Amino acid sequence: MKKNIALLFLSSCFFIGVIQAQIVPVTASSADIYQQLKKLNVLGSVLYIAAHPDDENNGLLPYLAKEKLYRTAYLSLTRGDGGQNLIGPEQGIELGMIRTHELMAARAIDGSEQYFTRAYEFGFSKSSEEALRVWDRGQVLADVVWMIRTLQPDIIIARFPPDARAGHGHHAASAIIAEEAYKVAADSTKFTEHFKYGVKPWKAKRLLWNTFNFGRTNTTSENQLKMEVGAYNPLLGKSYGELGGEARSMHKSQAEGRPRRRGEVFEYFVHVAGDSAKTDVMEGVNTSWSRLKKGREVAVVNSQGKEITLQLSTEADINQIQNTIQEIIDQYDFKQPHKSVPRLTQLYKHMLNKMPDGPWRSQKLKEIQAIIEFASGLFVEAFTQQETALKGDSVRVNFFVNKRTDVNAKIRSMRFIGEEDTVVMQPTEKNRNYQYARILVANKGPEFTQPYWLSKTKVRDGMFVVEDQQDIGKAWSDPIFAVNFDIEIEGVLFQVQRPVLYKYVDAERGELYQPFVIVPHIEVYMGSTVVLLNVKDETGRNRADSMLHVVYRSNFSQQNVTTTLNIRQESIKPVFSREQRNFVKGQRQVVNVPIARVYNPNASAQYMEATISIVPPGGRVLNFSDYFKSIHYDHIPNINYAFRDHVKILKEEIKVRGKKVGYIPGSGDMMPEALKQLGYEVRALNDADINDENLQQFDAIVTGVRAYNLNEWLTGKYDVMMRYVERGGNLIVQYNRNQGGVPSPKMGPYPFQISSNRVTEEDAEVRFAIPDHPVLNFPNKIGSNDFVDWVQERSTYQADQADSRYQSPLSMNDTGEKASSGSLITTAYGKGNFAYVSLVMFRQLPAGNAGAFKILANLIAMPKH
């Protein structure tokens, strides 16, 4: 079965966080610093592996990271691109970016780190075989091995078993890959290309499966390794169950809001590979500094020209590090944390000289520098007051330093990374602001801001294309522009790195930070994803829009620019217009292109793209074909990315009946745009609009996906909606979810339930159970060809246990399963009709599937009785 896929510097990670809509400079309380000091004395690490954002165990991760103080990381095989979006219309890679930031926000709460492989989440899968066939299994395995060798975890925990109990093919595949990677990571003959980047083979002590009790599937047992993880941490003022609820609730696009749990919470584990454990997942693991007993060694050439190993430190030097940290903890002054800084800086020098190379050296040096900066009350940032710039622009950047304690500190120099130092040699006084303005010439890096995994071909063979090995695993791209501050603290020089951010004050929300973004000169947008050429009403009149609406936005201002608009179909690129234009920054313009002038009906490709070429006075030709999009939600930072926009041309005839359709918004889909393409007048409806008199004007009412889940007021409008149907209206309800034991909301005139049944094979055979049903015949004849080239899946959350008065015109099933008939049910009620549609119209309409448009037109045209 095929799958159609719709499209180091030491302190940086400690000082930039994601907290409720902002990228913020992170500060630390005295209790936070004390907690970090305790963590500095622990050298244990855990890697947790699963398939998706929201698969992680949000109760266990904060316990491991903040109670046991282990370095804890979550490796998600995918970014969740193929999921469903409760909060907006974004799908595919856009949803993946949203869910990536939601995971990063969750990690900021639970204290863990976040990593990913290159695998694209292609939607719900019922078997690991399918998942590993669609993905490049070798690449996914290589990525997980890379992360194991890079992080060198003491133990690895898989969230799922490798079989049907996992409940999802991706889940089971993540367990299969985890076990294979556990073994392969230790094999020096496998993935040898990794070794040129400094990593080494690594054998974790054990691999465990974190068993679970989800709904009807309980894989836990009292004879398994059992740990209580719900402890209360007085330094945090919260239990780990409370932290877990907060972290879980960051997955807002998936409606994963959870309560803050208090009291005992037990987790269960099953041994998979390696040494067994009976009482604790880290049983037998040395988490003290003594694990580094060899000390620091370097290879040198002696006077005879032979390479010898020079021992720079001994076991005693390593023991001294642990003892010194403990002394600092014992003498810590909660009211005056800065008193620990002189000893901390000397400890830093000792660690720098004596610690052996490897992940623990870089990790612990990063941790202690962060503690020193926090304890010193040091606040450092680099910001601009403009959100965007063009490549090559000159941008004013403000450097800011404030040392808010009595620690001795001096600003030695500062510079944009990759440029020469600006020497300052400025001693600092307590709580005094030191501000410097510098001009950044934005001429390095890419032409515009783009997440690293989208910088090449978007998806190939189920995988994102990432060419730089050292990018693999990263949650997000490194900042394009950053500043190094060389600051001397108590006689020790530290390099403090900060990204250049956009900083502003919102009248309602106060001081905010967002990414500083490089944008193209011109953004090109095709106006819609699909254009229908042949939409006929009952009179034979063509309702289709005869224009292609090319939208472009200028990010610069200039007069008298020679501008050419080209429309591409296949390799043909006819020039539509060439003229002198004046560009004004921020201005949006629409060019209406008669489709007949640029469309070739005989071309094999039915996609069209636009390119705008400009020649500024005295300049060279610049071509622009990408749309630069910004996605905004309150719980995550702004997301910016570019993509090559195109429009799919559908020349197949589609017949329609009726003129006016009401639409009740759900969790976000492209239904209103599709209805307009069919020539309908569309009006969005809210609570106040749902009354008998107002609804009479509509030939049909369509609800958005999950509309009844999201809009509680719809349940209270049940009687009004049923009277609308009874009097001759057609009510078309797109899929809703069952809510885990909560009765399905009343939607139709007769009872039915919403199940979790779905057909995930997008090419599954569709059988016509009632061939003469109106939805399959009027005004469009529906045949097997109308289900060709569907993307990702057929249906989801099907109707079940439907009253006998409903009809089910379609039947389908995934390979090896029983046929299901809940993808579409209809019934006549009074003079009108009701339909529950679990066919994934929200995916097929934007993808330009003509059959989906025909089915939609037929549902609206269901005959009156």
Side-chain angles (χ1 to χ4, degrees):
M1 185 202 70
K2 61 186 176 60
K3 265 288 169 193
N4 292 336
I5 298 177
L7 286 184
L8 181 70
F9 285 87
L10 294 182
S11 65
S12 60
C13 74
F14 279 88
F15 282 81
I16 301 299
V18 179
I19 301 179
Q20 291 293 327
Q22 302 180 52
I23 306 171
V24 297
V26 176
T27 56
S29 69
S30 183
D32 294 332
I33 296 169
Y34 184 74
Q35 177 90 350
Q36 291 173 17
L37 280 169
K38 292 171 62 181
K39 190 180 184 80
L40 190 62
N41 232 3
V42 177
L43 281 73
S45 58
V46 179
L47 177 61
Y48 200 89
I49 299 177
H52 309 117
D54 76 19
D55 282 348
E56 77 273 26
N57 187 331
N58 294 107
L60 178 62
L61 293 186
Y63 173 81
L64 295 172
K66 292 180 178 288
E67 176 68 19
K68 305 303 288 185
L69 303 175
Y70 304 139
R71 183 184 185 187
T72 306
Y74 174 43
L75 174 59
S76 176
L77 297 195
T78 76
R79 297 176 184 269
D81 321 82
Q84 298 160 5
N85 185 359
L86 186 72
I87 59 176
E90 295 84 8
Q91 297 178 26
I93 59 175
E94 292 183 356
L95 179 58
M97 288 186 286
I98 291 170
R99 297 184 71 182
T100 293
H101 267 301
E102 289 177 339
L103 267 182
M104 293 166 68
R107 297 296 80 78
I109 293 170
D110 65 32
S112 304
E113 301 169 25
Q114 183 59 55
Y115 300 97
F116 296 92
T117 77
R118 290 171 286 176
Y120 177 80
E121 207 265 89
F122 57 81
F124 190 88
S125 174
K126 294 182 178 178
S127 72
S128 57
E129 292 80 11
E130 180 193 41
L132 296 174
R133 185 171 62 249
V134 174
W135 295 333
D136 184 320
R137 179 172 181 162
Q139 284 190 33
V140 178
L141 176 63
D143 291 357
V144 178
V145 168
W146 166 256
M147 291 312 308
I148 292 172
R149 289 171 171 174
T150 299
L151 298 175
Q152 295 188 0
D154 294 310
I155 67 167
I156 300 170
I157 301 175
R159 185 55 172 135
F160 298 106
D163 51 46
R165 292 172 297 173
H168 192 311
H170 297 173
H171 294 170
S174 72
I176 293 169
I177 291 292
E179 184 171 2
E180 190 173 356
Y182 168 82
K183 300 171 183 176
V184 170
D187 189 339
S188 61
T189 67
K190 300 295 176 63
F191 300 115
T192 56
E193 66 274 13
H194 292 171
F195 302 141
K196 65 181 178 182
Y197 298 99
V199 303
K200 298 177 180 179
W202 179 254
K203 178 70 175 294
K205 190 171 186 66
R206 65 179 57 94
L207 170 65
L208 299 166
W209 166 34
N210 180 197
T211 60
F212 52 81
N213 184 359
F214 296 156
R216 299 175 183 175
T217 305
N218 183 2
T219 62
T220 65
S221 172
E222 290 303 316
N223 63 3
Q224 298 170 0
L225 192 161
K226 179 181 177 182
M227 293 175 59
E228 203 280 305
V229 300
Y232 172 74
N233 187 325
L235 291 173
L236 305 175
K238 297 176 182 179
S239 71
Y240 300 110
E242 291 173 287
L243 281 178
E246 293 174 7
R248 189 72 176 181
S249 297
M250 294 310 298
H251 295 292
K252 299 185 187 304
S253 68
Q254 304 305 296
E256 285 292 322
R258 291 293 185 270
R260 297 178 177 92
R261 292 190 296 172
R262 299 170 184 88
E264 290 184 329
V265 178
F266 292 97
E267 291 295 335
Y268 298 80
F269 303 88
V270 169
H271 174 264
V272 177
D275 293 352
S276 61
K278 294 182 179 180
T279 60
D280 190 281
V281 293
M282 292 285 276
E283 191 173 293
V285 176
N286 182 0
T287 62
S288 72
W289 281 88
S290 64
R291 69 185 297 166
L292 307 181
K293 55 188 175 183
K294 284 187 176 181
R296 183 165 173 78
E297 300 174 340
V298 294
V300 298
V301 179
N302 63 15
S303 57
Q304 285 78 41
K306 294 182 179 181
E307 186 176 286
I308 61 172
T309 299
L310 184 64
Q311 191 78 26
L312 297 184
S313 62
T314 64
E315 185 174 347
D317 293 312
I318 299 301
N319 290 337
Q320 182 183 343
I321 294 174
Q322 179 165 314
N323 295 335
T324 302
I325 294 171
Q326 190 58 51
E327 289 173 5
I328 294 171
I329 292 172
D330 294 340
Q331 298 168 14
Y332 182 72
D333 187 335
F334 276 87
K335 291 185 178 180
Q336 301 181 84
H338 66 277
K339 287 187 175 181
S340 299
V341 172
R343 290 204 69 186
L344 282 167
T345 55
Q346 294 308 306
L347 175 61
Y348 175 87
K349 287 176 61 178
H350 184 75
M351 291 168 61
L352 190 66
N353 294 326
K354 303 300 184 181
M355 284 189 70
D357 292 332
W360 282 121
R361 172 183 168 82
S362 59
Q363 180 68 15
K364 291 304 175 180
L365 287 173
K366 183 167 61 176
E367 288 179 14
I368 191 173
Q369 177 170 335
I371 293 169
I372 291 168
E373 293 180 42
F374 284 139
S376 300
L378 195 66
F379 187 94
V380 180
E381 66 177 350
F383 66 91
T384 178
Q385 293 179 311
Q386 65 182 74
E387 184 175 12
T388 65
L390 302 172
K391 186 172 184 180
D393 275 359
S394 296
V395 180
R396 177 190 170 100
V397 177
N398 300 292
F399 299 174
F400 179 93
V401 179
N402 185 310
K403 180 208 66 176
R404 294 172 286 185
T405 68
D406 290 323
V407 165
N408 293 320
K410 179 186 296 184
I411 306 169
R412 293 278 295 271
S413 64
M414 58 193 71
R415 64 189 178 280
F416 294 111
I417 291 179
E419 298 186 8
E420 295 183 358
D421 291 0
T422 297
V423 179
V424 178
M425 297 301 292
Q426 173 66 62
T428 60
E429 297 178 14
K430 179 180 178 180
N431 206 29
R432 179 179 171 183
N433 295 337
Y434 296 91
Q435 301 184 68
Y436 309 88
R438 296 291 184 269
I439 300 300
L440 167 68
V441 180
N443 57 6
K444 61 171 284 189
E447 294 296 319
F448 42 75
T449 298
Q450 185 81 325
Y452 75 87
W453 66 96
L454 301 180
S455 62
K456 302 296 180 183
T457 303
K458 297 295 186 293
V459 182
R460 186 169 65 207
D461 298 329
M463 306 291 292
F464 291 109
V465 178
V466 180
E467 295 181 345
D468 188 338
Q469 178 67 40
Q470 293 178 295
D471 279 340
I472 291 173
K474 290 179 180 177
W476 203 262
S477 302
D478 295 333
I480 299 175
F481 302 104
V483 175
N484 278 339
F485 296 81
D486 292 328
I487 300 178
E488 184 181 300
I489 303 174
E490 295 292 347
V492 178
L493 186 63
F494 293 90
Q495 189 178 87
V496 179
Q497 184 186 113
R498 295 292 185 268
V500 175
L501 298 175
Y502 165 52
K503 177 180 175 179
Y504 64 105
V505 177
D506 181 89
E508 179 182 348
R509 298 161 60 200
E511 183 178 271
L512 299 174
Y513 294 80
Q514 292 291 354
F516 172 60
V517 180
I518 301 300
V519 297
H521 287 70
I522 296 174
E523 305 166 20
V524 183
Y525 174 54
M526 297 300 290
S528 62
T529 59
V530 181
V531 169
L532 307 181
L533 296 184
N534 195 359
V535 180
K536 297 292 181 62
D537 64 16
E538 58 270 28
T539 69
R541 181 175 65 89
N542 191 352
R543 288 189 186 179
D545 189 349
S546 62
M547 294 289 183
L548 192 63
H549 306 286
V550 180
V551 183
Y552 66 91
R553 182 181 186 272
S554 172
N555 291 314
F556 73 109
S557 296
Q558 194 158 354
Q559 304 291 309
N560 299 319
V561 178
T562 302
T563 307
T564 304
L565 172 61
N566 300 292
I567 306 295
R568 175 190 290 272
Q569 184 182 1
E570 291 184 324
S571 59
I572 306 165
K573 192 167 70 172
V575 174
F576 174 72
S577 65
R578 180 179 286 116
E579 57 190 334
Q580 297 296 117
R581 283 186 175 268
N582 298 328
F583 287 88
V584 178
K585 185 176 181 179
Q587 188 177 76
R588 178 177 177 273
Q589 298 189 48
V590 180
V591 179
N592 295 317
V593 180
I595 295 176
R597 284 188 54 183
V598 295
Y599 174 62
N600 177 9
N602 298 318
S604 58
Q606 297 300 304
Y607 292 90
M608 304 188 79
E609 299 175 351
T611 299
I612 290 181
S613 303
I614 62 172
V615 185
R620 59 185 178 86
V621 177
L622 301 174
N623 298 313
F624 302 96
S625 302
D626 293 316
Y627 177 44
F628 194 79
K629 186 172 183 178
S630 186
I631 300 170
H632 295 208
Y633 285 104
D634 284 346
H635 65 298
I636 55 177
N638 294 345
I639 297 169
N640 302 275
Y641 86 111
F643 65 94
R644 181 66 50 84
D645 197 21
H646 65 260
V647 60
K648 184 176 182 180
I649 307 297
L650 292 182
K651 58 185 178 181
E652 192 168 347
E653 182 182 75
I654 300 173
K655 300 173 183 177
V656 295
R657 298 292 184 268
K659 297 180 179 179
K660 199 168 186 178
V661 176
Y663 173 73
I664 300 175
S667 63
D669 64 299
M670 306 299 289
M671 180 60 72
E673 290 76 5
L675 291 168
K676 291 174 184 177
Q677 284 284 339
L678 289 169
Y680 291 108
E681 179 185 345
V682 182
R683 179 180 167 186
L685 304 177
N686 58 31
D687 187 356
D689 296 320
I690 308 299
N691 58 75
D692 292 333
E693 181 179 358
N694 188 49
L695 298 188
Q696 290 177 6
Q697 62 182 303
F698 299 110
D699 297 291
I701 294 173
V702 181
T703 67
V705 297
R706 296 183 181 178
Y708 283 82
N709 297 144
L710 295 178
N711 303 311
E712 293 183 5
W713 53 264
L714 263 176
T715 300
K717 296 293 185 178
Y718 173 77
D719 291 337
V720 180
M721 302 291 275
M722 290 305 99
R723 286 196 296 271
Y724 165 75
V725 176
E726 193 173 21
R727 293 170 182 174
N730 288 337
L731 175 59
I732 302 153
V733 175
Q734 293 190 86
Y735 89 89
N736 286 262
R737 289 185 63 173
N738 53 2
Q739 302 282 30
V742 178
S744 300
K746 289 181 69 175
M747 292 177 279
Y750 311 117
F752 70 92
Q753 294 298 313
I754 298 173
S755 72
S756 297
N757 297 337
R758 58 178 80 193
V759 176
T760 64
E761 296 174 6
E762 72 276 22
D763 55 357
E765 180 188 0
V766 178
R767 294 174 290 275
F768 302 107
I770 309 176
D772 60 350
H773 193 285
V775 170
L776 302 179
N777 292 277
F778 180 81
N780 301 282
K781 181 69 175 178
I782 304 299
S784 298
N785 287 340
D786 292 304
F787 291 93
V788 173
D789 292 331
W790 279 40
V791 297
Q792 190 161 317
E793 55 194 341
R794 289 287 196 204
S795 68
T796 187
Y797 298 104
Q798 294 183 357
D800 193 21
Q801 303 176 40
D803 185 279
S804 61
R805 284 166 285 192
Y806 287 104
Q807 293 185 311
S808 302
L810 300 176
S811 171
M812 60 188 72
N813 58 274
D814 283 327
T815 302
E817 296 186 355
K818 294 180 179 179
S820 62
S821 57
S823 59
L824 171 62
I825 63 171
T826 70
T827 186
Y829 184 68
K831 297 180 180 179
N833 301 276
F834 170 84
Y836 177 78
V837 186
S838 77
L839 296 170
V840 286
M841 308 295 280
F842 72 101
R843 298 196 194 279
Q844 310 313 321
L845 294 170
N849 189 285
F853 279 95
K854 289 181 182 180
I855 292 169
L856 176 59
N858 286 9
L859 288 165
I860 293 170
M862 286 187 290
K864 314 299 181 185
H865 305 286

